[in-house]
Amino acid sequence: MKRYSKFLKQTWWLWLTYTIITALLIYFVSPVFFVVIPMMIVNFFYFALVRYNEDGDFIGA
């Protein structure tokens, strides 16, 4: 769990921006953008898994 909390702590502003943009697209353009929400969730867990170890330390590439 440390990797996910550390990743969220460092990138909360990015995920908030994505969420706001997605909400605006859903409201103003089309409800089809609801499919972006599961994609964002999968991306969050994937990048946290790949970039951080189980102790929450960044794995430099």
Side-chain angles (χ1 to χ4, degrees):
M1 266 325 266
K2 289 182 184 178
R3 72 176 47 165
Y4 302 114
S5 62
K6 182 77 170 203
F7 182 63
L8 185 60
K9 186 177 181 180
Q10 291 184 347
T11 61
W12 65 269
W13 56 272
L14 181 65
W15 296 104
L16 181 64
T17 304
Y18 286 159
T19 305
I20 290 170
I21 290 171
T22 301
L24 291 173
L25 287 170
I26 290 169
Y27 185 75
F28 289 113
V29 179
S30 174
V32 75
F33 286 101
F34 273 112
V35 294
V36 173
I37 295 170
M39 291 178 200
M40 288 191 321
I41 294 169
V42 169
N43 283 332
F44 173 81
F45 285 110
Y46 172 75
F47 282 112
L49 187 65
V50 170
R51 303 299 281 173
Y52 292 86
N53 65 13
E54 59 274 354
D55 297 324
D57 298 323
F58 181 71
I59 302 172

